[in-house]
Amino acid sequence: MKKAIWSLVIVILLFWGVQSTYADKGRQHYEEAGQILWEIRTDEKVIALTFDDGPHRKYTEEILDVLKEHNANATFFVVGVNVDKNPELVSRMSDEGHEIANHTYTHDRSMKTSEVIKEMRKTNDTIQAITGHPTTLFRPVEGYYTDDLVRAVSKEGYKLVMWSWHLDTLDWKNPGVDKIVNFVVDGAKEGNVVLFHDGGGNRRQTVDALKEILPELKKEGYRFVSISELMKIQETHHQERQINETK
């Protein structure tokens, strides 16, 4: 009996430890502190398309073709090792007006905070050598972060960027083109951030889904903006509210 009780205690402590690892101060705290962005509140018909884990020689190029066809801006959270393999695609992203953001160098989820920061710096140096511009936005691997990581990322001068909780397409699971299309078109709201993937595997469904999503959202009046553009809109709204409050 005692052995069973101790086993239960150990399980509870292990579970608590895992929970504590990813415990955070809460979305409201980070949003008010300006440290993390999930989406913004706005009446403007704007939406931010984001892509993780690339660049991929085949699928990123095809995604860039689709974005160009529809005059759509996007933000690419690139992995440093893939940047080294495909510098010409990073140059194209920059030349065509897309935003290039930091997603570590190796995409290893098991890294300590100090290792993440080292990889973030390395990826920044790699991107800056190609584009001439530093990165200022960071997305943690698989969206996992801790208070410690947020503090460290902020200290480096970065803003941590997540995505709208209801617009994680899960395209990496290859759920089907129609499912991805309907998921985004039905769920899209003003100021949202959509999560897609251009690297890490076969992204044929993502490419084909974008061919339907972009014209449909354009028909609904949406404009596709980068994360930085979304942040500027947020800041403008904040300033307008402050002016109205002082009247």
Side-chain angles (χ1 to χ4, degrees), residues 83-84 86-92 94 100 124-133:
V83 172
D84 278 335
N86 304 285
E88 71 287 351
L89 287 175
V90 176
S91 292
R92 181 181 172 185
S94 180
I100 303 168
N124 173 72
D125 292 344
T126 303
I127 294 169
Q128 191 165 3
I130 297 169
T131 67
H133 303 289

Side-chain angles (χ1 to χ4, degrees), residues 47-53 63 139 163-188 192-199 203 205-207 209-210 213 217:
I47 194 165
L49 309 179
T50 67
F51 298 87
D52 283 10
D53 303 348
I63 286 170
R139 179 171 282 165
W163 54 86
S164 298
W165 284 334
H166 64 290
L167 284 178
D168 179 353
T169 62
L170 299 177
D171 55 346
W172 56 275
K173 290 185 176 182
N174 290 316
V177 172
D178 289 343
K179 190 167 183 178
I180 297 172
V181 172
N182 294 333
F183 186 80
V184 175
V185 172
D186 293 343
N192 281 174
V193 177
V194 190
L195 173 59
F196 294 102
H197 294 81
D198 63 324
R203 299 294 171 248
Q205 291 186 7
T206 303
V207 176
L210 284 168
I213 291 169
L217 290 182

Side-chain angles (χ1 to χ4, degrees), residues 91-110:
S91 292
R92 181 181 172 185
M93 288 175 191
S94 180
D95 292 344
E96 295 183 359
H98 300 294
E99 185 159 38
I100 303 168
N102 203 311
H103 196 42
T104 75
Y105 191 83
T106 62
H107 201 264
D108 181 358
R109 180 179 158 183
S110 66

